[in-house]
Amino acid sequence: MKILMINPNTSTEMTDRMIATAQSVLAPDTELIAHTATRGFPYIASRAEAMIAGNITLEMLAEHHHGCDAAVIAAFGDPSLIAARELFEIPITAMAEAAILTSCMLGERFAMLTFSRTLVAWYEDAVALAGLTHRCAAIRVPDVSFKSVSTVQYELENEIVALAERTVKEDGADVLILAGAPLAGLAQRIAHRSPVPLVDPLVAAVSQAQTLARMKPKAASAGRFARPGPKVTVGLPQSLADWIEHRGPDRQSDLTLNASM
Amino acid sequence: MKILMINPNTSTEMTDRMIATAQSVLAPDTELIAHTATRGFPYIASRAEAMIAGNITLEMLAEHHHGCDAAVIAAFGDPSLIAARELFEIPITAMAEAAILTSCMLGERFAMLTFSRTLVAWYEDAVALAGLTHRCAAIRVPDVSFKSVSTVQYELENEIVALAERTVKEDGADVLILAGAPLAGLAQRIAHRSPVPLVDPLVAAVSQAQTLARMKPKAASAGRFARPGPKVTVGLPQSLADWIEHRGPDRQSDLTLNASM
Amino acid sequence: MKILMINPNTSTEMTDRMIATAQSVLAPDTELIAHTATRGFPYIASRAEAMIAGNITLEMLAEHHHGCDAAVIAAFGDPSLIAARELFEIPITAMAEAAILTSCMLGERFAMLTFSRTLVAWYEDAVALAGLTHRCAAIRVPDVSFKSVSTVQYELENEIVALAERTVKEDGADVLILAGAPLAGLAQRIAHRSPVPLVDPLVAAVSQAQTLARMKPKAASAGRFARPGPKVTVGLPQSLADWIEHRGPDRQSDLTLNASM
Amino acid sequence: MKILMINPNTSTEMTDRMIATAQSVLAPDTELIAHTATRGFPYIASRAEAMIAGNITLEMLAEHHHGCDAAVIAAFGDPSLIAARELFEIPITAMAEAAILTSCMLGERFAMLTFSRTLVAWYEDAVALAGLTHRCAAIRVPDVSFKSVSTVQYELENEIVALAERTVKEDGADVLILAGAPLAGLAQRIAHRSPVPLVDPLVAAVSQAQTLARMKPKAASAGRFARPGPKVTVGLPQSLADWIEHRGPDRQSDLTLNASM
Amino acid sequence: MKILMINPNTSTEMTDRMIATAQSVLAPDTELIAHTATRGFPYIASRAEAMIAGNITLEMLAEHHHGCDAAVIAAFGDPSLIAARELFEIPITAMAEAAILTSCMLGERFAMLTFSRTLVAWYEDAVALAGLTHRCAAIRVPDVSFKSVSTVQYELENEIVALAERTVKEDGADVLILAGAPLAGLAQRIAHRSPVPLVDPLVAAVSQAQTLARMKPKAASAGRFARPGPKVTVGLPQSLADWIEHRGPDRQSDLTLNASM
Amino acid sequence: MKILMINPNTSTEMTDRMIATAQSVLAPDTELIAHTATRGFPYIASRAEAMIAGNITLEMLAEHHHGCDAAVIAAFGDPSLIAARELFEIPITAMAEAAILTSCMLGERFAMLTFSRTLVAWYEDAVALAGLTHRCAAIRVPDVSFKSVSTVQYELENEIVALAERTVKEDGADVLILAGAPLAGLAQRIAHRSPVPLVDPLVAAVSQAQTLARMKPKAASAGRFARPGPKVTVGLPQSLADWIEHRGPDRQSDLTLNASM
């Protein structure tokens, strides 16, 4: 099966690391196809940035999803996840949601460990979106700064291990999510130093994308996630406009566009 | 005081109607400045469209908010409300949130009446965002179709009056929100035919923008809504990039941009 | 428009201070009419006292609400708010509810800062009544005592500023409510020393009363807040009995009183 | 043990019926002492009336609770229950709360059957106060009118039996509360016609008062229900003023009254 | 009336102590009949053990409940409470649920004090089962170890008294439950040293069993707790198989067993 | 990898069908090992039966889990899921939980369709255990009876298809779970007749067991799911007693058993 991985950040280095991290859970018959954003932010770190990058995510999906069996939005915080599920017909997973739901099979309360205070409001929203705030024991951040998101998982490795210990003890977490794309791969490296299972969100998102792809769920023709009919757009990027206006690859359409609803 | 009204739809006819509707609650010292989107959709009707239009909202706010005392996002469903509050420093209201909170002073449970099933998931999200799902008695839609969003409030007037009656009786609503920008102005016209108070979301949003502007709340320098520091952007529209990179009107900046966080 | 302000405490000094505080948000066309309780307690400080003062609030409203466009119950904790909305037909706001709902447009989680532990249970109830316990980050009190409710806002000014800082940091509050009538006016004085917006509940209640009055909501004839029909009373104060028995100013009534329901 | 029963309605006929209904669950060593309100309403039927009657309840408790082991507020809707627990030191139960908590041991979801739509908002509040809204399957009312609260339990007997059947089937109730003082005694009469257990709230309240009295819980000296210190009152009824000002039966006090807190 | 007390632990010493503790709340006409498990664990301390002991509880109830008016499952954590209520027709109480519901009449928020961290997850489940997590201020454990469950209530007496004080102050508890069968009897001994009422769960469970027995609730013939029809079993203990297959004491049955549903 | 599938029902026919259904999602490197209960019930259909079968599940896991990478409890309702996760160290999934969590990636609200009213209370508990009651749109059952659990999925096929349509329309479900082991395999057969994706719980449980096994989560040494220390048991089946007492395959142990905690 083909899994499309969309990195809505502009850092290709991050994409490379995520591809590497995903290998451990790829089934033999899985092909992973990755794309990196060319507009936006090197690293999304707020809800305003996620709104902007979410738009870019939709454009990237419109362009690249054809022929894929499932897609992964490879940013924790899940920019455009709901919008993408509305628009597209293949299963779509994202890092925060996949990590949260997977954690729920490994413990009763999960906690998130991340590397910057700035991210917490955004990650809180992701927990709320899943409707699982009551199972989230805490979202915690080490009290130290770091130099770069590229190296943060090495810089803070010991602090995160120490924080894991405290979070289990003080907050009653049964499982820990290492939250944020820059931490992809860390879980595997420090699992043996943690008192509870660690969940790598990229691993969870790619795993769950494979799970859904293998189940071959029928695209909804009703409910909240049925694809909307063809609709007029003004000034949108070509591939996104084509998809929303239900134009095929030949950019022609016999359909009557709906100007309002 | 100056209130900025952003219509994230591309319909200027809708903007005009909203300006007219707002007059009844403008204080003598209020100036209302309205702008209409030039990209996007004639009328936003889903969460995917709200994601795209939300982006455009941020661009419009970046361009027009200077010198205003408060801003109104004039779409029910509140595209980019949280992102806008994160980025900008003036008070910002939006139609769904303002209608919901205002309703809570007029009754215990509010209901929403709107004109298309398509809108319901989006409006449910707005209720959830306010954290008031438990006070929402219902979101109901008449079982009839309509020709155009421009005239829907006239086409469905009698159906909405009948639905108001039933929603009070069957769902236990104490107050009704006429939801969706195309219904702006309807509440005033049919108030005498409703058993409970009606809330016009545009009226609520403009009223609450004035309320907040008059209270002159200090912009947050901490918490979830403190303005982020200057940050590198790639390929964003000029006015939005300027604001995010903390550049003044002269497009120069002495600040060191943060490439990642 | 005419806004009636009911102070259910017996302190006229407090009423005076509240009148002064309200000035900053009165629109040019607003007249504020204030009344002070003549029975009850100098300062209500518990739920039992609020029950007693709530009764007195109803009597005061029955006597003074004629000809007013909206009323404000000027005590944080909102004695008789629901009962008053049931009985009377003009919009009614109260300090806690108005502060809470207004805060929800300025941040995601609000906290309350007040001056005595005794008040906390009562204020918790007000948050629960609004259905917004999950958006309340904390209700905190400085660990110092004070001499008098008349001067407490001066006595504890520095402690409250320090507590504001800690509440934002430790509890994740985005906006702070300075809770309790004796703190009316303090927000304006210390706003510049707070990292997040401060909400003055008296200011919020008077602002929202104006907002509602300007919207001219129709009185409910159905739902939880429709005025009950005329009903027999035994031994109640004259003005309240008159209103409940639906007697006009001439104290005559043609209506058949309902002895039981 | 001595159980004090306060009827906050002015109907002595209702008091008599409640005394008769309580007999079936009185332990041999229990003495039941009943008092009827002399001011207020023949029958409380709304939250505004409950606010007024709640005040009268406090006065009656102040006058009669001395020497009793527990008290019952004999009105469904529980006027002044929280205030009474704050002020007084003996255990206090009330009809709605006792019925709700008792029901939770007989089924997973309870429903309430009552006789007038008017009562529903008030009873909803009682469920919310217990924090058990999620275990309340429904509050239902037969679609027929009645002549008098004195005879309503006979007038609507068959309708209530039919409604019981439907509520179990349609709402998933496991246990039914026959709500409202005018229904006291009905449960016993129709139990054999119901598919699930019926709870008589007066029986529940008297039973639970005995339960608490037998457990002899220490009065709280801390927490939300510690008795407040002596406090100045203005113009309150003598017995209530005496109790709040901590004056003994001789109406003398050595204590310094607190004018504000 | 006859109250059956089932101790699902194998310790007869514990049974004896519980019988002794129950005396203080037995009505003159109550006979308490106690049985101790002969299989399982000396003392259940986890959810896995409660699952195993819950099974044994069902077997003991099947064997001993005939002729009793109500039964008490005498383990905090309430093994098999729901299953027992499904299978049997007499009222059944259990220690955690009874303590929690009783506490709700003595304060707004209860807390649990117990003696081992191991127990906390199990007790959390009991609070969740009652649907009252939001009224549970805390579940706390002294930071000291103990030698034996037989003597733990004496070993930790002072630590629990100190913890009571802290839990009231730090967690806002209004009433404290001394949780776990090994603490039966302790509440009575230390009540005078606690700032808030203490609830002994065994006392509560026996009290509530008497309350329910005196109310004589009809067994449900519909809803979640109607006794299932006769059903085929394979290899179950005789008394439990007999009850499930609806065989009388003569072990004969005319009924057609249902092989599947 | 080796996945152990435990069928806690005694029907081997059901086990065979579940093995067949699982094939479509087994990865090439997965070996599925299935065991069927030899005691208990042909088909578990209530919470009392799930309590009994849950015990048998623990015994079967104790006997068969050695050498497996993950286990599946193959009954919807998830008997002993929490207890099993406490006792054993490999990842364990179960049908209801896996179906619920998987559904959350395919829609916002899921509904369950099943074949007997009897099952509903049990399935409600499973939703509550996942903490996702608010995302469950409905649990619905066709209004027709059936002859046998072996053939029910064929007997009710058309009724379930019709109910799917109604549940999407009337309850707002975005995804449907065909709940109950007797429906295993049905989803695949009727997917093309449903307006929204269908989830087969057995498929979900086996898929998620593979997902977890591939992630190789470290067994917890702290938190709610750390394996308890060795503990004395009385009269339990050998394999379960061995595991709880930490005896190896040679049935010898050097460990000191804990008699109480």
Side-chain angles (χ1 to χ4, degrees), chain C residues 8 53 64 67 87 89 94 128 136 140-141 171-172 180 199 261:
Chain C
H64 301 297
L87 276 187
E89 298 190 307
C136 180
R140 295 187 65 166
V141 183
D171 301 301
V199 171
M261 296 293 299

Side-chain angles (χ1 to χ4, degrees), chain B residues 1-165:
Chain B
M1 71 188 117
K2 279 192 184 170
I3 303 292
L4 172 67
M5 185 172 89
I6 297 291
N7 178 7
N9 301 292
T10 60
S11 159
T12 54
E13 181 194 0
M14 193 177 289
T15 309
D16 291 343
R17 192 196 323 245
M18 295 196 288
I19 293 170
T21 299
Q23 300 309 315
S24 69
V25 291
L26 290 187
D29 54 343
T30 302
E31 182 187 355
L32 187 69
I33 300 161
H35 290 277
T36 309
T38 53
R39 290 195 301 125
F41 303 92
Y43 179 60
I44 311 164
S46 73
R47 297 180 289 178
E49 292 162 22
M51 166 61 65
I52 295 165
N55 230 312
I56 294 161
T57 301
L58 293 182
E59 295 167 23
M60 293 171 75
L61 281 165
E63 191 163 347
H64 301 296
H65 83 283
H66 301 282
C68 293
D69 298 295
V72 174
I73 299 175
F76 198 91
D78 305 356
S80 256
L81 176 59
I82 297 302
R85 284 196 180 135
E86 263 186 11
L87 276 187
F88 301 101
E89 298 190 307
I90 55 172
I92 298 176
T93 67
M95 286 173 63
E97 185 195 70
I100 290 167
L101 297 176
T102 303
S103 293
C104 286
M105 293 179 283
L106 294 170
E108 227 156 274
R109 303 232 185 104
F110 60 87
M112 290 180 181
L113 305 184
T114 190
F115 54 94
S116 164
R117 282 263 138 243
T118 306
L119 300 159
V120 174
W122 184 25
Y123 294 178
E124 285 173 347
D125 285 2
V127 180
L129 184 66
L132 287 164
T133 301
H134 54 298
R135 291 185 70 170
C136 180
I139 302 181
R140 295 187 65 166
V141 183
D143 274 332
V144 288
S145 60
F146 62 93
K147 288 185 195 146
S148 150
V149 291
S150 304
T151 54
V152 64
Q153 69 170 257
Y154 298 96
E155 295 181 56
L156 301 190
E157 181 170 324
N158 288 331
E159 282 76 8
I160 288 174
V161 168
L163 190 59
E165 186 89 29

